[in-house]
Each structure stands twice: as structure tokens, then as C-alpha cells.
Amino acid sequence: MSRCPQFRYKTRGVGLIEVMVAILVLAVGLLGIAALQATTLRSSQGSLERSQAVIQTYGILDSMRANAAAAGGGAYTIGMTCAPPAAPNTLALRDIANWIQNFQLQLGPNSCGQIEALAGGLYRITMRWEDQRGVNTQDLLTVSTL
């Protein structure tokens, strides 16, 4: 009978230490999950911006296909610009102005675009925007098509 009180006395603090270690392990695990979620959010934001850039690029390409005569004459060719045309008095200039305004709404006010006419009826459309959440400070998308 004298062994029972000694056994209780020796094992009194073990439960508390085990609980503290379990809480520490749980806290480290939760911090790891939070860091992983932050990284995933940053990556998915960059992916969304790239998807929006592709959608905007195909939008101006569709406008160019609809106005093929003006596109073939170079009316859609512009250098890298962040400002829409001042006086959009033709269909091509209105399309460009709408394109720039739309991608600036989607990708931010510092977004810029360029349309180059290449040989053989090809066009290179380049868009540049600031990727504030991603790894790069600026992203660039270039699409060439007929």
C-alpha cells in the first residue's frame, strides 16, 4: 500500500509536459499551413492576372479580325502605351481605347499594351502589368497570331 502514493508523486507532472509538447507541435503545424495558404493565394492571384491578360489579348484579336481591312492597313499597330488614344474617331482607335481601358480595370492602372504587325499577316500583342502579390514585380505576356 505504500507503493501507490510514491507512484502518484513521481508521475504527477508528466501529463502537463505532454500537453505542452502537443500544443507546440500543433502550433508549428498550424503556422506551416498558414504559410502554405499564403503562398497558394499569391500564386493563384498571378494565375488569375495571366488568365485575364489572355482574355484581353484575344478580345483585341477578335476586334482586329472583325475589322480585317483596317488591321491589314496597320490601323491597330501601336507602340507600348499605358494611355488610350486621345481622340478615338475610328473603329480601330475605339477598339484600342476599349482594350486598354478594359485591361487596366482588370490588371491595374499601370498596365500597358503593344500591338506590332509582323511579316505574313502575323501580329504580336504584348501586355505588361505589375504583379504585386507574385514573385515578379512585372509580368509580361506576348501572343503572336494570324
Side-chain angles (χ1 to χ4, degrees), residues 15-100:
L16 182 61
I17 291 174
E18 288 175 351
V19 168
M20 290 174 62
V21 169
I23 289 174
L24 178 68
V25 169
L26 181 66
V28 169
L30 289 175
L31 284 174
I33 290 173
L36 181 67
Q37 189 172 12
T39 303
T40 302
L41 178 64
R42 188 172 41 239
S43 297
S44 65
Q45 179 67 26
S47 176
L48 173 69
E49 289 175 354
R50 285 187 174 273
S51 296
Q52 290 296 329
V54 169
I55 290 169
Q56 295 299 325
T57 300
Y58 281 114
I60 192 65
L61 283 173
D62 288 340
S63 297
M64 291 170 68
R65 285 185 190 113
N67 194 4
Y76 283 89
T77 303
I78 59 169
M80 185 62 73
T81 183
C82 300
N89 51 7
T90 65
L91 179 59
L93 290 177
R94 279 194 302 273
D95 288 341
I96 291 170
N98 288 336
W99 175 60
I100 291 173

